[in-house]
Amino acid sequence: MLFEQKTIPLKNGALCTLRSPAAADAAEMIECLRNCCAQTPHLLREPEECAETPEQEARYLEGINASENHVMIVALVGGRIAGNCQIERHRRMKTRHRASVGISLLREYWNLGIGTAMFGEMLDIARQWGIMQLELEVIEGNARARALYEKLGFRLAAIHPGGIRLRDGRLLDEYLMIRRM
C-alpha cells in the first residue's frame, strides 16, 4: 500500500521527507539496512545477512507497495535514506485485528524525532485498517527504543528468554510489546 508523501521538520531544523519506497531506492535501501545492522546489536540481522541484490530488493519493495496489508515508510534527510518503518497486518480471519510494526534508523539520525514521526504514521494506518492490537519485538538492552515504544503506548506483554544470540555467544531476552488501539 502506498503512503502519501509528507515533509516534517526535525529537532535540528532540517526537513525529513516520509514516503513510500520506490524500486529505484533498492540499492540504497540495502546499504542503509546493512549500516543500521552494523551500528547496533538491536536489529535481527547481522550486516552480512543483508545480502539481497538490488533486483530482489526492488521486487520486495514493489510487492509492499502493491499489498493491501503492508505499508513501508522511508525517511529521507537531505535526499539520503535515513531509515524506514513498516507495518504489516495479519491476514488470517482470527488474527486480522493485529498488525506488526518495525523500524530501523541510521545512528546519525537518532534523537531528531524521525522515529516518533514514523511511528505516529504507523498508528494512523493501524486506525484506518481497524487494527485492535499493534505488536513489536525489542531486544534486551535497547532502552532507547523501549522508551519510545512505551511513550507511544506499547506495554510489555511477554519475554522470550534467550531469544537473541549475539556473535560473542551472549544470549539476550526478546520482549514482545503490544499496544491496544
Side-chain angles (χ1 to χ4, degrees):
M1 188 167 140
L2 292 173
F3 175 78
E4 187 174 329
Q5 182 171 310
K6 294 182 178 185
T7 300
I8 60 165
L10 301 179
K11 291 177 184 178
N12 66 358
L15 295 177
C16 175
T17 300
L18 303 178
R19 65 163 172 79
S20 290
D25 296 325
E28 190 178 358
M29 290 287 291
I30 295 166
E31 187 62 23
C32 181
L33 181 58
R34 190 176 291 128
N35 289 334
C36 285
C37 290
Q39 292 175 352
T40 177
H42 296 118
L43 295 177
L44 289 179
R45 293 196 221 182
E46 291 292 345
E48 64 271 17
E49 293 178 302
C50 305
E52 296 81 7
T53 66
E55 295 77 21
Q56 290 168 325
E57 183 72 5
R59 283 191 300 276
Y60 172 71
L61 297 174
E62 289 170 343
I64 288 174
N65 289 341
S67 173
E68 294 178 0
N69 297 303
H70 202 163
V71 177
M72 180 185 286
I73 297 173
V74 175
L76 293 104
V77 179
R80 180 175 174 230
I81 294 177
N84 73 78
C85 188
Q86 56 186 307
I87 183 170
E88 186 168 13
R89 176 173 42 193
H90 295 249
R91 293 177 178 93
R92 305 249 184 243
M93 288 173 47
K94 291 182 180 180
T95 59
R96 194 165 171 80
H97 67 287
R98 297 167 41 206
S100 298
V101 293
I103 187 171
S104 64
L105 192 61
L106 291 167
R107 183 181 300 268
E108 66 191 272
Y109 300 105
W110 291 2
N111 300 313
L112 295 177
I114 297 171
T116 300
M118 288 196 296
F119 257 90
E121 298 299 335
M122 295 293 113
L123 292 172
D124 287 345
I125 292 165
R127 285 185 199 97
Q128 291 169 22
W129 283 349
I131 296 298
M132 298 172 71
Q133 181 171 297
L134 276 177
E135 304 169 357
L136 57 82
E137 290 83 30
V138 63
I139 297 173
E140 175 185 357
N142 195 352
R144 290 182 60 264
R146 189 165 172 183
L148 170 63
Y149 305 148
E150 288 174 348
K151 177 178 86 169
L152 296 170
F154 286 84
R155 298 293 172 250
L156 181 64
I159 300 173
H160 185 175
I164 301 297
R165 184 169 182 257
L166 300 180
R167 285 180 190 257
D168 64 9
R170 285 184 297 145
L171 295 176
L172 299 177
D173 294 345
E174 185 176 31
Y175 304 120
L176 170 65
M177 299 184 77
I178 63 167
R179 184 187 191 280
R180 305 245 188 227
M181 300 296 289

